[in-house]
Every structure is written in C-alpha cells, then in structure tokens.
Amino acid sequence: MISQIKQVQGRVFEKLLGEAGIEEFNGPQGRILYVLWQEDNLPIVELSRRTGLAKTTLTSMLDRLEARGFLNRGFDKSDRRIIRIILTDMARSMKDKYNQVSEDMNKIFYKGFSSDEITQFEGYLQKILDNLYKEENNK
Amino acid sequence: MISQIKQVQGRVFEKLLGEAGIEEFNGPQGRILYVLWQEDNLPIVELSRRTGLAKTTLTSMLDRLEARGFLNRGFDKSDRRIIRIILTDMARSMKDKYNQVSEDMNKIFYKGFSSDEITQFEGYLQKILDNLYKEENNK
DNA sequence: ATAGAATAATACTATATAGTACTATTTTCG
DNA sequence: CGAAAATAGTACTATATAGTATTATTCTAT
C-alpha cells in the first residue's frame, strides 16, 4: 500500500507542479531540492540518508540538477573524498513557490484527517523508517 | 517520508529476496505477481489500478515477465480491446516462497507495533490512497 | 610508518516509471 | 445508423533508481 501511495502521489504531485507553472524541475528533483532548501552544503552520502535514495541514484540526479543550474559541487577542504552540494541563487528563489504546491498536496493527502490523527500517523511513519534503516545498516 | 520509506523498503526487500534464494524475479515484479496471485485473468488497466502503476509502466514490465515465462497475454472474447493477463503454473508455484519473504518483511516493518496500531495505521493508509485516487480521477 | 580496512564518489549497466502520441476497438447519442 | 467520444493497449522517449566495480582518499591498528 505504501508503494501504491507513493506512485499515485507522485503522479498527482507532478500534475500540481504543472498547474502551478513550475516547469523547471519535476517531483523527484523537487524531493532533493526540498532537503537542500532546509540545509545545503551537504555531502552526497548525507543527502542520500536524508532523501532515502541510494547514493548511486544521486550521482545522475545531481548531474541533471547541476546541468540545469540548480546547484554546484564544491570540494571539502578537510577531507578531499567529500563533495559538498551547494544550491545556486536561482534554486533558492524557487523555494516559496514549491512550498505552496507542497501545502496543496498535503491538503489532498490528509483530507478528512484531524490534526491529532496526522501527528499520530506521522509518528508511525517515523517509527517504520527507523525500523527499516536499522535493518539496512546493522546487517 | 512516504517516498523515503518506499525507497528503503525496496532495497531491504530486494536483499531479503536474495537471501531467500529467489533470483527469478525482483521486488517490483513481485509486486505485480502479488496482485495476480490473488486474482489473475485481469485486464492491464485493472492491474494498473490494483498496483498503482501507470498502464504504460505495465506494458514493459509485463513484457519482461512474459519473456521469463511468468505469464501470458490472452484475448478477451467479448471485447477485443482488452488483453487478459494469465499466470503460468511456474508463476503460481512461487507464491508460497514469496509470501514467506513478505511476512519477514512485515515483521521488520512493524517492529514494535501492537496489532491495534497496525490496524489503525493501515486504515490511515487506505484513507490516503482513496484521497489520492479521487484527486487523480475526478479532475 | 605503513598495510589493510573503511569511506566518498563515480562509471557503467539494467530495470522501473510515466508521459505523449498512436492504433484499434467499443460506446454513446443525435 | 453513423460520427464523435471513450476505452484498452502499445511504441517511443526521457528520467529515476539501484547494483557492481572502480578510483581516490582517509582512518586504523600494529
């Protein structure tokens, strides 16, 4: 059911982005930008943790976002293995527009939910996510 | 968070399939087979509804499953637009092995949940899914 | 100090995913 | 009836996703 929700949510969100006139990036790219809007200058591995995407997935997605002028790759001074992802001003300027769509999406998603139910539901999600990460890492 | 769960869950499930010695199909294919094990002889559009995948996604996935001998495409007698998906005996024979892995996955997923919490959580998921499908169809 | 383990990132490859445009049917309704 | 709309499926294309193997760098333990 989770997969199903993710799939349908993705298609609906894509449509909302279009209706809001956002042609510059799509849903999956928005998910990465969303994390970076909260905090950038992150190493790719950390971005992987925060998005749930494999780091090999990020390589190509970041290539595309870089090609379109959303971000730059910068070196880390103290550890040369690490590459840090920095948003461009253009990328920063789109944050508010995206958040508006995100709110609209949330309203659709949680239609008929009380705020207590939302809190409870999101607590369950966090617990499940912890369970999954524990399994992925500790084995 | 839903996307993140789906992603990590997918990778963990893939690992469990490998550990169970199931090399014949992968997670996304398993998701399609799972629906067909419950009921086959379905049109592709109906399979799309039950999996949450777009019908164009199913075209190529069913091609691969057909090429590997899991299913056949059959004609519908009364409506020649419709193609019906029929499982092979080989596919049917793998149901139990898959269900075992599925149960293991569930245990990881819901570690620390009471059965009341699971029921409640899945009720929320169903409600969200209904919200999303309503939005996708009625607009 | 240095060999081996660990970590960060990427290249390459295969599959998954969905949108647009199209064909072939069936349904609807004037 | 017959034209237009609706429906089922596919071809083609672009992006997303992750696994394996590889390179470069840093850490660890003696």
Side-chain angles (χ1 to χ4, degrees):
Chain A
M1 211 166 351
I2 290 276
S3 296
Q4 212 173 338
I5 287 172
K6 195 259 178 180
Q7 231 74 257
V8 185
Q9 192 274 343
R11 292 197 300 269
V12 170
F13 191 65
E14 209 74 47
K15 209 170 57 176
L16 292 186
L17 282 176
E19 286 168 6
I22 300 181
E23 312 285 347
E24 294 86 349
F25 59 89
N26 62 24
Q29 292 168 347
R31 201 161 120 225
I32 293 172
L33 292 173
Y34 176 76
V35 170
L36 290 169
W37 278 320
Q38 300 179 302
E39 182 186 351
D40 69 339
N41 205 32
L42 296 176
I44 294 178
V45 168
E46 180 56 28
L47 202 48
S48 167
R49 283 191 203 101
R50 297 194 190 184
T51 57
L53 295 165
K55 66 179 180 177
T56 54
T57 300
L58 285 172
T59 296
S60 52
M61 297 204 58
L62 293 173
D63 284 349
R64 275 184 287 271
L65 286 168
E66 190 172 13
R68 290 178 194 183
F70 284 95
L71 52 85
N72 293 113
R73 284 169 158 98
F75 292 101
D76 185 293
K77 286 133 204 143
S78 68
D79 186 341
R80 291 197 300 171
R81 292 171 305 185
I82 296 176
I83 285 185
R84 291 186 174 273
I85 304 298
I86 300 126
L87 288 177
T88 62
D89 291 341
M90 185 275 274
R92 286 180 215 283
S93 75
M94 310 203 65
K95 179 177 178 178
D96 291 346
K97 217 155 87 173
Y98 179 91
N99 280 343
Q100 182 56 55
V101 177
S102 198
E103 265 178 48
D104 294 346
M105 183 73 239
N106 248 27
K107 270 182 205 129
I108 293 166
F109 201 84
Y110 284 135
K111 191 167 288 175
F113 281 69
S114 70
S115 65
D116 279 355
E117 286 174 327
I118 293 175
T119 303
Q120 192 184 30
F121 176 71
E122 296 190 343
Y124 290 155
L125 290 181
Q126 188 58 58
K127 198 163 160 185
I128 290 165
L129 195 53
D130 291 345
N131 285 342
L132 292 171
Y133 269 128
K134 254 179 234 154
E135 179 70 19
E136 192 175 39
N137 297 322
N138 296 2
K139 255 190 138 171
Chain B
M1 214 168 347
I2 289 277
S3 295
Q4 211 173 338
I5 287 172
K6 195 262 179 180
Q7 232 74 257
V8 185
Q9 192 274 344
R11 293 198 299 270
V12 170
F13 191 65
E14 208 75 47
K15 209 170 59 177
L16 291 185
L17 282 176
E19 286 168 7
I22 300 180
E23 312 285 347
E24 295 86 351
F25 58 89
N26 61 24
Q29 292 167 346
R31 200 161 121 225
I32 293 173
L33 293 173
Y34 176 77
V35 169
L36 291 168
W37 278 321
Q38 298 179 304
E39 183 185 351
D40 68 339
N41 206 31
L42 297 176
I44 294 178
V45 167
E46 180 57 26
L47 203 48
S48 166
R49 282 191 204 102
R50 296 194 189 184
T51 56
L53 295 166
K55 68 179 181 179
T56 54
T57 299
L58 285 171
T59 297
S60 52
M61 297 205 59
L62 293 173
D63 283 349
R64 276 185 286 269
L65 285 168
E66 190 172 13
R68 292 177 192 183
F70 284 94
L71 52 86
N72 293 114
R73 285 169 158 97
F75 292 102
D76 185 294
K77 285 133 205 146
S78 68
D79 186 340
R80 292 197 299 172
R81 291 170 304 183
I82 296 176
I83 286 186
R84 292 186 173 273
I85 303 299
I86 301 127
L87 288 176
T88 62
D89 292 342
M90 186 275 275
R92 286 180 215 283
S93 75
M94 310 203 67
K95 180 178 178 177
D96 291 345
K97 216 154 87 174
Y98 178 91
N99 280 342
Q100 183 57 55
V101 177
S102 200
E103 265 178 46
D104 294 346
M105 183 74 237
N106 249 28
K107 272 184 203 128
I108 293 166
F109 202 84
Y110 285 135
K111 190 167 289 174
F113 281 68
S114 71
S115 66
D116 280 355
E117 286 174 327
I118 293 174
T119 303
Q120 192 184 31
F121 176 71
E122 294 189 344
Y124 290 155
L125 289 182
Q126 188 59 58
K127 197 162 160 185
I128 289 165
L129 195 53
D130 291 345
N131 286 343
L132 291 171
Y133 269 127
K134 252 178 237 156
E135 178 70 20
E136 191 175 38
N137 297 323
N138 296 3
K139 255 191 137 171

Short mmCIF file of all heavy atoms in Angstrom, two decimals, chain B residues 26 29 53-54 56-57 60-61 64 68 79-81, chain C residues 14-22 24-27:
data_model
loop_
_atom_site.label_atom_id
_atom_site.label_comp_id
_atom_site.label_asym_id
_atom_site.label_seq_id
_atom_site.Cartn_x
_atom_site.Cartn_y
_atom_site.Cartn_z
N ASN B 26 12.37 -9.80 -9.23
CA ASN B 26 12.80 -8.79 -8.26
C ASN B 26 11.58 -8.16 -7.56
O ASN B 26 10.45 -8.61 -7.76
CB ASN B 26 13.65 -7.73 -8.96
CG ASN B 26 12.87 -7.02 -10.04
OD1 ASN B 26 11.65 -6.97 -10.01
ND2 ASN B 26 13.57 -6.46 -11.01
N GLN B 29 8.70 -6.58 -9.74
CA GLN B 29 7.98 -7.65 -10.43
C GLN B 29 7.14 -8.44 -9.44
O GLN B 29 6.01 -8.83 -9.74
CB GLN B 29 8.99 -8.57 -11.14
CG GLN B 29 9.69 -7.89 -12.31
CD GLN B 29 10.89 -8.66 -12.82
OE1 GLN B 29 11.38 -9.59 -12.17
NE2 GLN B 29 11.39 -8.28 -13.98
N LEU B 53 0.51 1.43 -10.48
CA LEU B 53 1.43 1.77 -11.56
C LEU B 53 0.67 2.29 -12.77
O LEU B 53 -0.46 1.86 -13.02
CB LEU B 53 2.23 0.52 -11.97
CG LEU B 53 3.17 -0.04 -10.90
CD1 LEU B 53 3.63 -1.44 -11.27
CD2 LEU B 53 4.36 0.87 -10.70
N ALA B 54 1.27 3.19 -13.52
CA ALA B 54 0.65 3.68 -14.75
C ALA B 54 0.60 2.54 -15.76
O ALA B 54 1.46 1.66 -15.75
CB ALA B 54 1.45 4.84 -15.31
N THR B 56 1.26 2.52 -18.82
CA THR B 56 2.44 2.49 -19.70
C THR B 56 3.63 1.82 -19.00
O THR B 56 4.48 1.24 -19.67
CB THR B 56 2.85 3.90 -20.15
OG1 THR B 56 3.02 4.73 -19.01
CG2 THR B 56 1.81 4.51 -21.05
N THR B 57 3.67 1.92 -17.71
CA THR B 57 4.71 1.21 -16.96
C THR B 57 4.52 -0.28 -17.08
O THR B 57 5.47 -1.05 -17.24
CB THR B 57 4.65 1.61 -15.47
OG1 THR B 57 4.86 3.00 -15.37
CG2 THR B 57 5.70 0.87 -14.67
N SER B 60 5.86 -2.53 -20.33
CA SER B 60 7.21 -3.08 -20.40
C SER B 60 7.47 -4.11 -19.29
O SER B 60 8.19 -5.08 -19.50
CB SER B 60 8.26 -1.98 -20.36
OG SER B 60 8.02 -1.12 -19.27
N MET B 61 6.87 -3.89 -18.12
CA MET B 61 7.10 -4.87 -17.06
C MET B 61 6.46 -6.20 -17.41
O MET B 61 7.03 -7.26 -17.13
CB MET B 61 6.57 -4.34 -15.74
CG MET B 61 7.31 -3.09 -15.32
SD MET B 61 7.27 -2.81 -13.56
CE MET B 61 8.02 -4.30 -12.92
N ARG B 64 8.62 -8.12 -19.80
CA ARG B 64 9.72 -8.85 -19.17
C ARG B 64 9.21 -10.11 -18.46
O ARG B 64 9.82 -11.17 -18.55
CB ARG B 64 10.46 -7.95 -18.19
CG ARG B 64 11.52 -7.08 -18.86
CD ARG B 64 12.32 -6.28 -17.84
NE ARG B 64 11.54 -5.18 -17.30
CZ ARG B 64 11.51 -3.95 -17.81
NH1 ARG B 64 12.22 -3.66 -18.89
NH2 ARG B 64 10.78 -3.02 -17.27
N ARG B 68 10.07 -14.08 -19.38
CA ARG B 68 10.64 -15.03 -18.42
C ARG B 68 9.68 -16.14 -18.03
O ARG B 68 9.93 -16.89 -17.08
CB ARG B 68 11.10 -14.28 -17.17
CG ARG B 68 12.28 -13.40 -17.51
CD ARG B 68 12.76 -12.57 -16.38
NE ARG B 68 13.69 -11.57 -16.92
CZ ARG B 68 14.35 -10.69 -16.19
NH1 ARG B 68 14.18 -10.67 -14.89
NH2 ARG B 68 15.16 -9.82 -16.75
N ASP B 79 -14.69 -8.36 -25.72
CA ASP B 79 -14.21 -7.00 -26.00
C ASP B 79 -12.77 -7.10 -26.49
O ASP B 79 -11.85 -7.34 -25.71
CB ASP B 79 -14.29 -6.13 -24.74
CG ASP B 79 -13.93 -4.68 -25.03
OD1 ASP B 79 -13.25 -4.41 -26.06
OD2 ASP B 79 -14.32 -3.80 -24.23
N ARG B 80 -12.60 -6.89 -27.77
CA ARG B 80 -11.29 -7.16 -28.35
C ARG B 80 -10.24 -6.08 -28.05
O ARG B 80 -9.09 -6.22 -28.45
CB ARG B 80 -11.43 -7.36 -29.86
CG ARG B 80 -12.20 -8.66 -30.19
CD ARG B 80 -11.98 -9.07 -31.62
NE ARG B 80 -12.47 -8.05 -32.55
CZ ARG B 80 -12.26 -8.09 -33.86
NH1 ARG B 80 -11.56 -9.07 -34.39
NH2 ARG B 80 -12.74 -7.15 -34.64
N ARG B 81 -10.64 -5.03 -27.34
CA ARG B 81 -9.63 -4.06 -26.91
C ARG B 81 -8.83 -4.61 -25.73
O ARG B 81 -7.69 -4.24 -25.50
CB ARG B 81 -10.29 -2.75 -26.47
CG ARG B 81 -10.91 -1.97 -27.58
CD ARG B 81 -11.73 -0.83 -27.01
NE ARG B 81 -12.73 -1.32 -26.07
CZ ARG B 81 -13.62 -0.53 -25.48
NH1 ARG B 81 -13.62 0.77 -25.72
NH2 ARG B 81 -14.50 -1.04 -24.64
P DA C 14 23.40 -4.16 -19.72
OP1 DA C 14 23.73 -5.52 -20.16
OP2 DA C 14 23.09 -3.09 -20.70
"O5'" DA C 14 22.16 -4.26 -18.73
"C5'" DA C 14 22.24 -5.10 -17.58
"C4'" DA C 14 20.99 -4.90 -16.76
"O4'" DA C 14 21.04 -3.59 -16.16
"C3'" DA C 14 19.70 -4.95 -17.59
"O3'" DA C 14 18.79 -5.85 -16.97
"C2'" DA C 14 19.19 -3.52 -17.61
"C1'" DA C 14 19.81 -2.92 -16.35
N9 DA C 14 20.07 -1.49 -16.47
C8 DA C 14 20.66 -0.83 -17.50
N7 DA C 14 20.75 0.47 -17.33
C5 DA C 14 20.18 0.67 -16.09
C6 DA C 14 19.96 1.84 -15.32
N6 DA C 14 20.30 3.05 -15.71
N1 DA C 14 19.36 1.68 -14.12
C2 DA C 14 19.02 0.45 -13.73
N3 DA C 14 19.17 -0.71 -14.36
C4 DA C 14 19.76 -0.53 -15.54
P DT C 15 17.33 -6.13 -17.62
OP1 DT C 15 17.07 -7.55 -17.43
OP2 DT C 15 17.22 -5.46 -18.93
"O5'" DT C 15 16.38 -5.33 -16.61
"C5'" DT C 15 16.54 -5.54 -15.22
"C4'" DT C 15 15.78 -4.47 -14.50
"O4'" DT C 15 16.37 -3.19 -14.77
"C3'" DT C 15 14.30 -4.36 -14.93
"O3'" DT C 15 13.55 -4.43 -13.74
"C2'" DT C 15 14.21 -3.00 -15.61
"C1'" DT C 15 15.34 -2.24 -14.94
N1 DT C 15 15.89 -1.10 -15.71
C2 DT C 15 15.89 0.15 -15.14
O2 DT C 15 15.44 0.35 -14.01
N3 DT C 15 16.42 1.15 -15.91
C4 DT C 15 16.95 1.04 -17.17
O4 DT C 15 17.39 2.02 -17.74
C5 DT C 15 16.93 -0.30 -17.72
C7 DT C 15 17.48 -0.53 -19.10
C6 DT C 15 16.42 -1.29 -16.98
P DA C 16 11.96 -4.30 -13.74
OP1 DA C 16 11.47 -5.11 -12.59
OP2 DA C 16 11.45 -4.54 -15.09
"O5'" DA C 16 11.75 -2.76 -13.38
"C5'" DA C 16 12.32 -2.29 -12.17
"C4'" DA C 16 11.81 -0.91 -11.86
"O4'" DA C 16 12.44 0.06 -12.73
"C3'" DA C 16 10.32 -0.68 -11.99
"O3'" DA C 16 9.98 0.23 -10.96
"C2'" DA C 16 10.20 -0.07 -13.40
"C1'" DA C 16 11.44 0.80 -13.44
N9 DA C 16 12.04 1.08 -14.74
C8 DA C 16 12.39 0.19 -15.72
N7 DA C 16 12.97 0.74 -16.76
C5 DA C 16 13.02 2.09 -16.44
C6 DA C 16 13.53 3.21 -17.13
N6 DA C 16 14.11 3.15 -18.32
N1 DA C 16 13.41 4.42 -16.53
C2 DA C 16 12.83 4.48 -15.32
N3 DA C 16 12.32 3.49 -14.58
C4 DA C 16 12.45 2.31 -15.20
P DT C 17 8.47 0.51 -10.47
OP1 DT C 17 8.50 0.92 -9.05
OP2 DT C 17 7.62 -0.60 -10.90
"O5'" DT C 17 8.08 1.78 -11.33
"C5'" DT C 17 8.66 3.05 -10.99
"C4'" DT C 17 8.32 4.06 -12.04
"O4'" DT C 17 9.11 3.81 -13.22
"C3'" DT C 17 6.88 4.01 -12.55
"O3'" DT C 17 6.14 4.99 -11.85
"C2'" DT C 17 7.01 4.33 -14.05
"C1'" DT C 17 8.49 4.54 -14.24
N1 DT C 17 9.06 4.06 -15.52
C2 DT C 17 9.66 4.98 -16.36
O2 DT C 17 9.73 6.15 -16.09
N3 DT C 17 10.17 4.46 -17.52
C4 DT C 17 10.13 3.14 -17.93
O4 DT C 17 10.63 2.82 -18.99
C5 DT C 17 9.49 2.23 -17.01
C7 DT C 17 9.38 0.78 -17.36
C6 DT C 17 8.99 2.72 -15.87
P DA C 18 4.57 5.24 -12.16
OP1 DA C 18 3.99 5.93 -11.00
OP2 DA C 18 3.98 3.97 -12.61
"O5'" DA C 18 4.62 6.24 -13.38
"C5'" DA C 18 5.28 7.49 -13.19
"C4'" DA C 18 5.31 8.26 -14.48
"O4'" DA C 18 6.16 7.59 -15.45
"C3'" DA C 18 3.94 8.39 -15.18
"O3'" DA C 18 3.83 9.72 -15.65
"C2'" DA C 18 4.03 7.42 -16.34
"C1'" DA C 18 5.50 7.56 -16.70
N9 DA C 18 6.05 6.46 -17.48
C8 DA C 18 5.86 5.13 -17.27
N7 DA C 18 6.48 4.37 -18.14
C5 DA C 18 7.12 5.27 -18.98
C6 DA C 18 7.95 5.10 -20.11
N6 DA C 18 8.27 3.91 -20.60
N1 DA C 18 8.41 6.22 -20.71
C2 DA C 18 8.09 7.41 -20.21
N3 DA C 18 7.33 7.70 -19.15
C4 DA C 18 6.87 6.57 -18.58
P DG C 19 2.43 10.41 -15.79
OP1 DG C 19 2.26 11.25 -14.60
OP2 DG C 19 1.41 9.40 -16.14
"O5'" DG C 19 2.67 11.34 -17.06
"C5'" DG C 19 3.84 12.16 -17.11
"C4'" DG C 19 4.17 12.46 -18.55
"O4'" DG C 19 4.83 11.32 -19.15
"C3'" DG C 19 2.93 12.74 -19.41
"O3'" DG C 19 3.15 13.90 -20.20
"C2'" DG C 19 2.79 11.50 -20.28
"C1'" DG C 19 4.23 10.99 -20.39
N9 DG C 19 4.31 9.55 -20.55
C8 DG C 19 3.74 8.60 -19.73
N7 DG C 19 3.98 7.37 -20.12
C5 DG C 19 4.75 7.53 -21.25
C6 DG C 19 5.30 6.55 -22.12
O6 DG C 19 5.23 5.32 -22.04
N1 DG C 19 6.02 7.13 -23.16
C2 DG C 19 6.17 8.48 -23.35
N2 DG C 19 6.88 8.85 -24.40
N3 DG C 19 5.65 9.40 -22.55
C4 DG C 19 4.95 8.86 -21.53
P DT C 20 1.96 14.54 -21.01
OP1 DT C 20 2.12 16.00 -20.88
OP2 DT C 20 0.68 13.89 -20.63
"O5'" DT C 20 2.28 14.12 -22.52
"C5'" DT C 20 3.59 14.32 -23.04
"C4'" DT C 20 3.63 13.84 -24.47
"O4'" DT C 20 3.83 12.40 -24.49
"C3'" DT C 20 2.35 14.11 -25.26
"O3'" DT C 20 2.72 14.52 -26.58
"C2'" DT C 20 1.64 12.76 -25.27
"C1'" DT C 20 2.83 11.80 -25.29
N1 DT C 20 2.58 10.46 -24.71
C2 DT C 20 3.13 9.35 -25.32
O2 DT C 20 3.81 9.42 -26.33
N3 DT C 20 2.85 8.16 -24.71
C4 DT C 20 2.10 7.96 -23.57
O4 DT C 20 1.92 6.84 -23.13
C5 DT C 20 1.55 9.16 -22.98
C7 DT C 20 0.72 9.05 -21.74
C6 DT C 20 1.82 10.33 -23.56
P DA C 21 1.60 14.95 -27.63
OP1 DA C 21 2.11 16.16 -28.31
OP2 DA C 21 0.27 14.95 -26.98
"O5'" DA C 21 1.65 13.74 -28.66
"C5'" DA C 21 2.93 13.19 -29.03
"C4'" DA C 21 2.70 11.95 -29.86
"O4'" DA C 21 2.47 10.80 -28.99
"C3'" DA C 21 1.50 12.02 -30.79
"O3'" DA C 21 1.83 11.40 -32.02
"C2'" DA C 21 0.42 11.24 -30.04
"C1'" DA C 21 1.28 10.15 -29.39
N9 DA C 21 0.68 9.52 -28.20
C8 DA C 21 -0.02 10.12 -27.19
N7 DA C 21 -0.43 9.28 -26.27
C5 DA C 21 0.04 8.05 -26.70
C6 DA C 21 -0.06 6.76 -26.15
N6 DA C 21 -0.68 6.47 -25.02
N1 DA C 21 0.54 5.75 -26.84
C2 DA C 21 1.17 6.03 -27.98
N3 DA C 21 1.33 7.21 -28.59
C4 DA C 21 0.74 8.18 -27.88
P DC C 22 0.87 11.45 -33.26
OP1 DC C 22 1.72 11.58 -34.48
OP2 DC C 22 -0.20 12.42 -32.97
"O5'" DC C 22 0.26 9.98 -33.26
"C5'" DC C 22 1.12 8.91 -33.64
"C4'" DC C 22 0.47 7.58 -33.30
"O4'" DC C 22 0.15 7.55 -31.89
"C3'" DC C 22 -0.86 7.32 -33.99
"O3'" DC C 22 -0.64 6.55 -35.17
"C2'" DC C 22 -1.66 6.51 -32.97
"C1'" DC C 22 -0.78 6.50 -31.74
N1 DC C 22 -1.54 6.71 -30.48
C2 DC C 22 -1.76 5.62 -29.66
O2 DC C 22 -1.33 4.51 -30.01
N3 DC C 22 -2.45 5.77 -28.50
C4 DC C 22 -2.91 6.99 -28.17
N4 DC C 22 -3.57 7.10 -27.02
C5 DC C 22 -2.69 8.13 -28.99
C6 DC C 22 -2.02 7.94 -30.13
P DA C 24 -4.68 0.13 -36.78
OP1 DA C 24 -4.10 -0.98 -37.58
OP2 DA C 24 -5.40 1.25 -37.41
"O5'" DA C 24 -5.66 -0.52 -35.69
"C5'" DA C 24 -5.11 -1.44 -34.75
"C4'" DA C 24 -6.18 -1.76 -33.74
"O4'" DA C 24 -6.37 -0.64 -32.86
"C3'" DA C 24 -7.55 -2.07 -34.35
"O3'" DA C 24 -8.01 -3.26 -33.76
"C2'" DA C 24 -8.40 -0.87 -33.98
"C1'" DA C 24 -7.76 -0.44 -32.67
N9 DA C 24 -7.94 0.98 -32.32
C8 DA C 24 -7.71 2.07 -33.10
N7 DA C 24 -7.95 3.22 -32.51
C5 DA C 24 -8.37 2.84 -31.25
C6 DA C 24 -8.79 3.60 -30.14
N6 DA C 24 -8.84 4.93 -30.11
N1 DA C 24 -9.14 2.91 -29.02
C2 DA C 24 -9.09 1.57 -29.04
N3 DA C 24 -8.72 0.76 -30.02
C4 DA C 24 -8.37 1.46 -31.11
P DT C 25 -9.25 -4.06 -34.34
OP1 DT C 25 -8.81 -5.34 -34.88
OP2 DT C 25 -10.10 -3.12 -35.14
"O5'" DT C 25 -9.96 -4.35 -32.95
"C5'" DT C 25 -11.32 -4.04 -32.87
"C4'" DT C 25 -11.54 -3.30 -31.58
"O4'" DT C 25 -11.10 -1.94 -31.70
"C3'" DT C 25 -13.03 -3.20 -31.32
"O3'" DT C 25 -13.36 -4.23 -30.41
"C2'" DT C 25 -13.25 -1.83 -30.76
"C1'" DT C 25 -11.87 -1.18 -30.80
N1 DT C 25 -11.87 0.24 -31.22
C2 DT C 25 -12.24 1.18 -30.30
O2 DT C 25 -12.58 0.91 -29.16
N3 DT C 25 -12.18 2.49 -30.73
C4 DT C 25 -11.80 2.92 -32.00
O4 DT C 25 -11.78 4.10 -32.28
C5 DT C 25 -11.45 1.87 -32.93
C7 DT C 25 -11.01 2.23 -34.32
C6 DT C 25 -11.49 0.59 -32.51
P DT C 26 -14.84 -4.75 -30.41
OP1 DT C 26 -14.85 -6.02 -29.69
OP2 DT C 26 -15.36 -4.63 -31.78
"O5'" DT C 26 -15.58 -3.66 -29.51
"C5'" DT C 26 -15.07 -3.42 -28.19
"C4'" DT C 26 -15.71 -2.18 -27.63
"O4'" DT C 26 -15.30 -1.02 -28.36
"C3'" DT C 26 -17.25 -2.19 -27.67
"O3'" DT C 26 -17.67 -2.01 -26.33
"C2'" DT C 26 -17.61 -1.01 -28.56
"C1'" DT C 26 -16.38 -0.12 -28.39
N1 DT C 26 -16.08 0.85 -29.49
C2 DT C 26 -16.06 2.19 -29.21
O2 DT C 26 -16.31 2.64 -28.11
N3 DT C 26 -15.75 3.00 -30.28
C4 DT C 26 -15.45 2.60 -31.56
O4 DT C 26 -15.17 3.41 -32.42
C5 DT C 26 -15.48 1.17 -31.80
C7 DT C 26 -15.19 0.64 -33.16
C6 DT C 26 -15.80 0.37 -30.77
P DT C 27 -19.22 -2.09 -25.93
OP1 DT C 27 -19.31 -2.80 -24.63
OP2 DT C 27 -19.99 -2.55 -27.11
"O5'" DT C 27 -19.57 -0.55 -25.67
"C5'" DT C 27 -18.68 0.22 -24.87
"C4'" DT C 27 -19.14 1.66 -24.87
"O4'" DT C 27 -18.75 2.32 -26.10
"C3'" DT C 27 -20.65 1.87 -24.72
"O3'" DT C 27 -20.84 2.87 -23.74
"C2'" DT C 27 -21.09 2.30 -26.12
"C1'" DT C 27 -19.85 3.05 -26.61
N1 DT C 27 -19.62 3.13 -28.08
C2 DT C 27 -19.34 4.34 -28.65
O2 DT C 27 -19.30 5.38 -28.02
N3 DT C 27 -19.10 4.31 -30.00
C4 DT C 27 -19.11 3.20 -30.82
O4 DT C 27 -18.86 3.30 -32.01
C5 DT C 27 -19.41 1.95 -30.17
C7 DT C 27 -19.46 0.68 -30.97
C6 DT C 27 -19.65 1.97 -28.85
#
